[in-house]
Amino acid sequence: ATLCATGLECAPVLGSNDGICLRLCNAAQVNGSDPRCAINEVCVNVYRLETVGQSAQVGVCAQTCSVFNESDAGCAPIGSLATSCLPTAPNGEVNLTADGTGLCLPQHASAGAQGTPCRETDLLRGSACQAGLVCASTDSTVSAQCSLPCDVRAGCPSGMACHSVSSTEGARLGLCR
């Protein structure tokens, strides 16, 4: 078991029940804005616990990013761990954001390549896929696989189609298949 120093929380973001020590914050704050998190960071409700009516909820700070901003797509490593920009909400209520905004979270040790099946579809648990890819499915009839995120207005590289992940008006995020 990993023991973290004061002010840190062992966040289960490496697959299975493995975690890393990240800065502790209050996930019950509106929009994840906690003063303990740095600029360009947000407080993430990694345990997906209910925060309505709560004044405090354990969370960890994570860098924000967008899969559509190339400078964000290359998230900085956390210590020696590679990270990926995962288009997910910090409160855990939406697994894939419609606009491609997300969080920089660690990649699992056995991160999969594009098109390979993946089991960890909860993006708050870290990336089961290599950098630039997302473990998700566009609907319940298709198994989750490591896919390249795409802008539904721009499409995918040749030979692939961009499948929207949301029916919300104005949604941009899709997955190349």
Side-chain angles (χ1 to χ4, degrees), residues 19 31 40 42 51 58 77 79 84 93 101 107 111-112 114 122 140 177:
N31 298 324
N40 296 327
V42 67
T51 60
V58 172
S84 292
E93 293 176 8
T101 57
Q107 292 175 16
Q114 186 167 348
D122 180 353
S140 61
R177 297 279 165 96

Side-chain angles (χ1 to χ4, degrees), residues 1-153:
T2 300
L3 296 176
C4 298
T6 301
L8 300 175
E9 173 70 13
C10 184
V13 294
L14 297 176
S16 181
N17 287 320
D18 296 333
I20 61 170
C21 297
L22 295 174
R23 194 168 45 263
L24 186 64
C25 58
N26 184 359
Q29 298 292 324
V30 177
N31 298 324
S33 60
D34 184 293
R36 287 170 280 234
C37 298
I39 294 174
N40 296 327
E41 286 186 340
V42 67
C43 188
V44 179
N45 185 354
V46 291
Y47 301 113
R48 292 182 186 249
L49 298 174
E50 181 64 47
T51 60
V52 175
Q54 303 292 317
S55 60
Q57 191 63 258
V58 172
V60 295
C61 296
Q63 180 184 342
T64 58
C65 59
S66 171
V67 296
F68 299 127
N69 183 344
E70 289 194 26
S71 64
D72 279 349
C75 295
I78 298 175
S80 62
L81 299 171
T83 61
S84 292
C85 181
L86 302 176
T88 192
N91 61 10
E93 293 176 8
V94 177
N95 197 42
L96 292 170
T97 59
D99 64 359
T101 57
L103 307 165
C104 292
L105 294 172
Q107 292 175 16
H108 298 182
S110 58
Q114 186 167 348
T116 60
C118 49
R119 292 185 300 186
E120 185 58 74
T121 58
D122 180 353
L123 299 183
L124 289 184
R125 305 274 297 175
S127 180
C129 301
Q130 295 172 354
L133 303 175
V134 176
C135 179
S137 178
T138 53
D139 65 57
S140 61
T141 64
V142 179
S143 297
Q145 66 182 28
C146 294
S147 301
L148 182 66
C150 55
D151 186 331
V152 294
R153 299 174 296 191

